[in-house]
Amino acid sequence: MIEVHNISKSYRRDSLEIPVLSNITLDVPEGEFLALMGPSGSGKTTLLNLIAGIDRPNTGSITVNGTDIATLNESNLATWRSHNVGFIFQFYNLLPVLTAFENVELPLLLTNLSKKERREHVEAALKLVGLGDRMKHYPKQLSGGQEQRVAIARAIVTDPTVLVADEPTGDLDRVSAGEIMVLMDRLNKEFKKTIVMVTHDPRAAEKAHKVMHLDKGELN
Amino acid sequence: MKIPFAYIWRSLWARRLTTALTLGGIALVAFVFAAVLMLSRGVEETLIETGSLDNVIALRKSANSELVSQIDRDGANILKTFPEIATTPGGKPFASTEIYVIINLSKKGSNDMGNVSVRGISPEALQLRPQVKLTAGRWFNFGQQEIVLGKSIAQRFQKCEIGQELRFGEATWKIVGYFDAQGSAFDSEIWGDVEQMGAAFGRPVFSSATFRLTSQQEFEPLKLRLQKDPRLASIELKREREYYEEQSKLMSGFIKLLGLVVTIIFSIGATIGAMITMYAAVANRTVEIGTLRALGFKRRSVLAAFLIESIILSLVGGAIGIALASGMSFVRISTTNFGTFSELAFGFTLAPGVVISTLVFALVMGVLGGFLPAVRASRLNILSALRSA
């Protein structure tokens, strides 16, 4: 499903070349719930961004469902993301001027669905995350846990191939974090979603099928 | 444009103070811009409305106004016999031979002197200019030293009550009435008998002669006939409307030039203001832009969203400016027309063309002010935009 083959990534800061990932190879089968752990600066977010198609490797290939995303041009990559990736961010990244409903609807605006179909999808996604009664609320009228659930609804509304989550519980209290992890677990088990999650939180990682540790840009 | 309009609209509302200030800047510039165009338009309209399409005016060749023109009596009489000239129901040529001079009168409210046009007319003049209507008193009697005043003169100059007398030329003139010429330049004139005026000012010749054509198409044939007649070599014909249009050009052109130079300088300020607002908007919404891009919205969608935001600002500002300027249409001002060196009263005229020009002007401010910030927004790197949380 996701085949990461021998990728390396480095950043250039002024004249310094800073290696972040070196020779990473990784397979994520369909339906997998993978947690990437490791200390800060170990490259786990970079690896996640590469899989999500918002960053490009220096060398190597990343194939998702048969598409080598490292070869797509920027515009095609954007289209690919809109069809295949659901993003869950640490700070939710909802647009503050849009309601929960409108935030979840955003990715659907990039599809050919009619207004009525979009409404049905959005309502289904928001009900799934338990916020069917909060659709007209703006992000600032919601708690952190609720905001993250709106963000999860936004991530799943297009039925993407893979969900990428970067510290999804990092900004939440323990109870809300627990709820979010239950939800993610359900998405994986019940809806067979493939999930790649970066986390520092061992409790969150417990829900994953598989935990991989990154250290200094290398997997082990 | 895939990014929802609600996002653009509510983002403007979310920072309403900045939005309002930017709108204010654009609206002020649009107001000045519209007011200048309205003023220039007002001058044109006042003068052009003065002329009728059916009338033709004879002037001395190369005279660009009645003030410097002379038509001798023989020439005027020959012209009157031409078949292209219409006749009155009474069988007379439909023509008015006129004298046009300038006198000084004291303005009301100050003792400054103002130049006032005095026109001596023939009896047919009133039928030639049906827009001129008596509003008070009576018309002057031909053969007597009586005058009627245009309404702008009556309003603006001292000692202009009906029954009072004005002294100019070598005579004393009794004011017997006022007329309204529907906002045309005649409103700023004094009318009396052409023969009385000629005698008073010692002028044996006319300044101009105005004729009614049998039909508008007869202008060219009439012109041809005139050119072939050696006795009329010193006379030139113009359609009355074209003549007044030329009279308006100097003044309206000057207003436009001066006004537009000033507004364009203002507009640079307003454009920079809009640009600063939009750069700030981009900076404040970097994470939102990163998120939209990550979700799959393309660069051009982001560019369009921010450009549209700026265009909305400018068009709303432009509309406010036009609304403010429309209040100016109740204002009438009077000043010396450079074309004739005499007082001319005119107003601010709001025409569809003024509205369109002002909106286009505002739009240009919006596009220029919004383009660079929108480009910056669309060029943001997704990762660094997301990281700036």
Side-chain angles (χ1 to χ4, degrees):
Chain A
M1 162 86 154
I2 303 171
E3 291 156 30
V4 176
H5 184 70
N6 204 22
I7 56 167
S8 296
K9 176 76 185 175
S10 58
Y11 289 109
R12 188 177 287 279
R13 192 155 295 160
D14 301 325
S15 60
L16 274 177
E17 184 100 352
I18 304 166
V20 186
L21 296 172
S22 44
N23 304 319
I24 302 271
T25 296
L26 169 72
D27 261 1
V28 185
E30 191 164 356
E32 176 78 286
F33 188 167
L34 170 68
L36 292 171
M37 297 190 77
S40 296
S42 60
K44 53 193 191 306
T45 296
T46 300
L47 180 55
L48 189 78
N49 290 339
L50 290 169
I51 292 171
I54 54 175
D55 201 358
R56 289 166 186 281
N58 297 120
T59 58
S61 70
I62 302 168
T63 311
V64 180
N65 254 357
T67 309
D68 184 357
I69 62 171
T71 63
L72 294 177
N73 69 25
E74 190 177 294
S75 173
N76 290 338
L77 194 57
T79 308
W80 177 84
R81 282 197 302 272
S82 69
H83 294 319
N84 293 284
V85 185
F87 285 91
I88 301 167
F89 301 95
Q90 180 177 1
F91 300 106
Y92 336 125
N93 289 24
L94 299 177
L95 302 193
V97 298
L98 298 183
T99 62
F101 182 96
E102 290 163 336
N103 265 293
V104 176
E105 193 186 18
L106 270 180
L108 293 180
L109 297 173
L110 297 166
T111 66
N112 294 323
L113 295 181
S114 70
K115 196 171 176 175
K116 183 166 167 280
E117 290 169 313
R118 292 204 302 266
R119 167 165 287 278
E120 287 164 4
H121 281 69
V122 173
E123 285 175 359
L126 277 167
K127 278 181 189 143
L128 180 71
V129 299
L131 289 175
D133 57 343
R134 293 279 195 281
M135 295 202 230
K136 296 246 167 79
H137 286 55
Y138 286 91
K140 64 168 181 270
Q141 298 168 320
L142 299 170
S143 70
Q146 288 171 329
E147 282 194 72
Q148 191 60 300
R149 281 193 274 155
V150 173
I152 291 173
R154 179 178 67 188
I156 60 175
V157 74
T158 53
D159 193 20
T161 318
V162 58
L163 291 180
V164 297
D166 191 357
E167 308 261 16
T169 59
D171 197 45
L172 296 175
D173 61 80
R174 187 184 281 204
V175 177
S176 304
E179 287 168 4
I180 293 299
M181 287 322 298
V182 168
L183 184 57
M184 304 253 311
D185 188 43
R186 205 177 138 213
L187 290 173
N188 174 245
K189 291 214 173 84
E190 210 173 303
F191 296 92
K192 311 288 179 226
K193 288 284 149 208
T194 309
I195 301 176
V196 182
M197 174 177 74
V198 162
T199 187
H200 272 119
D201 179 359
R203 287 165 186 280
E206 273 173 19
K207 294 282 182 193
H209 301 166
K210 191 170 170 187
V211 178
M212 294 181 106
H213 290 270
L214 266 166
D215 196 13
K216 292 178 185 155
E218 288 174 18
L219 264 182
N220 46 44
Chain B
M1 239 300 290
K2 298 263 177 78
I3 294 175
F5 191 69
Y7 174 69
I8 296 166
W9 178 246
R10 289 190 210 143
S11 295
L12 282 167
W13 180 247
R15 54 180 159 100
R16 39 195 173 276
L17 180 66
T18 338
T19 300
L21 290 174
T22 316
L23 278 182
I26 294 171
L28 275 177
V29 175
F31 165 74
V32 177
F33 184 84
V36 165
L37 291 186
M38 284 166 74
L39 200 56
S40 150
R41 180 89 195 181
V43 172
E44 279 169 16
E45 212 150 84
T46 298
L47 287 166
I48 291 167
E49 286 304 310
T50 308
S52 156
L53 281 170
D54 296 327
N55 292 350
V56 54
I57 184 166
L59 298 167
R60 191 185 64 191
K61 236 175 215 170
S62 82
N64 47 24
S65 86
E66 284 177 281
L67 196 60
V68 294
S69 166
Q70 286 185 355
I71 303 277
D72 62 34
R73 285 172 183 261
D74 292 343
N77 286 333
I78 296 166
L79 259 170
K80 281 182 190 173
T81 65
F82 281 5
E84 290 83 1
I85 308 293
T87 48
T88 61
K92 289 182 168 177
F94 212 148
S96 175
T97 45
E98 304 187 340
I99 284 179
Y100 183 86
V101 288
I102 285 177
I103 61 165
N104 283 316
L105 289 180
S106 300
K107 291 183 183 172
K108 276 185 184 167
S110 72
N111 277 328
D112 293 347
M113 302 295 269
N115 286 342
V116 174
S117 311
V118 174
R119 184 182 294 276
I121 59 168
S122 306
E124 287 74 23
L126 296 177
Q127 286 162 280
L128 276 170
R129 291 151 186 154
Q131 76 270 35
V132 178
K133 303 247 164 36
L134 195 72
T135 54
R138 59 175 174 81
W139 284 111
F140 62 87
N141 286 323
F142 283 89
Q144 294 189 350
Q145 289 180 337
E146 293 177 342
I147 47 174
V148 289
L149 274 47
K151 67 172 182 207
S152 298
I153 300 297
Q155 283 160 8
R156 291 177 196 281
F157 289 91
Q158 295 177 15
K159 295 179 188 160
C160 285
E161 299 299 320
I162 292 176
Q164 286 183 316
E165 289 180 334
L166 288 178
R167 210 178 147 72
F168 58 82
E170 298 294 314
T172 305
W173 306 82
K174 189 173 181 198
I175 302 169
V176 296
Y178 297 147
F179 63 84
D180 181 346
Q182 328 252 305
S184 68
F186 297 134
D187 273 333
S188 305
E189 292 184 354
I190 293 175
W191 283 11
D193 178 357
V194 65
E195 298 301 339
Q196 296 296 322
M197 296 279 177
F201 286 97
R203 292 209 177 188
V205 294
F206 301 121
S207 302
S208 68
T210 301
F211 304 91
R212 169 67 51 84
L213 294 169
T214 49
S215 87
Q216 285 182 26
Q217 290 79 43
E218 294 300 319
F219 179 68
E220 292 303 325
L222 176 66
K223 220 173 161 178
L224 222 65
R225 189 184 296 277
L226 176 111
Q227 280 164 2
K228 282 184 194 151
D229 196 321
R231 297 169 296 178
L232 302 177
S234 67
I235 295 179
E236 186 177 24
L237 295 177
K238 285 175 183 166
R239 285 186 192 271
E240 197 181 27
R241 181 162 291 229
E242 281 161 17
Y243 167 72
Y244 281 104
E245 213 171 315
E246 282 172 22
Q247 297 297 299
S248 75
K249 266 182 194 148
L250 189 62
M251 182 91 167
S252 70
F254 177 76
I255 292 173
K256 231 185 230 174
L257 181 70
L258 184 70
L260 294 190
V261 166
V262 171
T263 22
I264 283 166
I265 293 170
F266 285 171
S267 73
I268 295 171
T271 306
I272 292 173
M275 201 182 281
I276 291 168
T277 311
M278 291 310 298
Y279 267 127
V282 172
N284 288 333
R285 307 216 302 266
T286 303
V287 180
E288 296 175 30
I289 296 164
T291 307
L292 285 166
R293 293 285 314 287
L295 292 179
F297 287 93
K298 302 208 168 142
R299 287 183 191 277
R300 58 172 183 269
S301 295
V302 173
L303 182 95
F306 278 86
L307 201 52
I308 288 171
E309 197 167 311
S310 170
I311 288 171
I312 290 174
L313 266 179
S314 68
L315 287 182
V316 173
I320 295 172
I322 291 168
L324 291 175
S326 69
M328 296 299 286
S329 47
F330 300 106
V331 178
R332 278 189 79 76
I333 57 176
S334 167
T335 188
T336 303
N337 178 8
F338 318 136
T340 58
F341 299 105
S342 58
E343 279 297 293
L344 178 69
F346 51 93
F348 292 79
T349 307
L350 187 59
V354 174
V355 173
I356 293 168
S357 306
T358 308
L359 286 179
V360 169
F361 181 67
L363 182 74
V364 170
M365 282 196 276
V367 171
L368 290 182
F371 186 70
L372 290 180
V375 166
R376 170 183 281 189
S378 73
R379 288 209 178 148
L380 283 177
N381 174 277
I382 301 178
L383 287 181
S384 34
L386 287 173
R387 223 178 278 138
S388 69

